[in-house]
Amino acid sequence: MAERIHELLLRNLQEVFGEGDPTKRRSAIKELYTDDCVLYVPPGAFVGHDALDKFAGDLRATHPQFAYAPHAAPQALQNAGRLKWGSGPRGGVPAYTGEDVIIVRDEKIAALYVFLDSPPA
């Protein structure tokens, strides 16, 4: 199960939130997420594939040139996992960082909690 959780975390970062092609992103969502998935982000909660796809697509459109990169190895514990990451211009300093925490059911992401780090003062 730990290997699957690591795979889900890394693929989600690149294939869902890092993907600019809507068809590829939608395919990844279908493969990686349960039908009743819930995304928890600072603006609120989003339920299901359609809501997740819209949120990820809208977010991607705000900074299409940014790349997501893991900042540490993914970690798994029972049916949960976490991954620290950064996003910014390719090869540059991240414009923002955060941490994804997932809950897995039936080898798919049932819930994703996105914690954003506070910008440096």
Side-chain angles (χ1 to χ4, degrees), residues 64-105:
Q65 74 284 7
F66 279 17
Y68 286 89
H71 282 187
Q75 294 181 308
L77 179 64
Q78 299 296 328
N79 68 327
R82 69 179 184 165
L83 177 66
K84 293 178 187 255
W85 51 265
S87 182
R90 290 188 193 281
V93 175
Y96 61 98
T97 59
E99 182 172 12
D100 290 349
V101 175
I102 62 171
I103 304 299
V104 176
R105 183 179 74 239

Side-chain angles (χ1 to χ4, degrees), residues 5-18 32-33 39-42 52 55 59 68-76 80-87 96-104 109 111-117:
I5 290 171
H6 293 176
E7 176 188 358
L8 290 168
L9 285 161
L10 293 169
R11 288 186 63 197
N12 176 65
L13 190 65
Q14 299 304 325
E15 296 176 31
V16 176
F17 287 90
L32 302 176
Y33 281 86
L39 166 66
Y40 297 97
V41 288
L52 170 61
F55 181 86
L59 178 64
Y68 286 89
H71 282 187
Q75 294 181 308
R82 69 179 184 165
L83 177 66
K84 293 178 187 255
W85 51 265
S87 182
Y96 61 98
T97 59
E99 182 172 12
D100 290 349
V101 175
I102 62 171
I103 304 299
V104 176
I109 300 170
L112 168 61
Y113 299 81
V114 179
F115 295 87
L116 297 176
D117 296 325

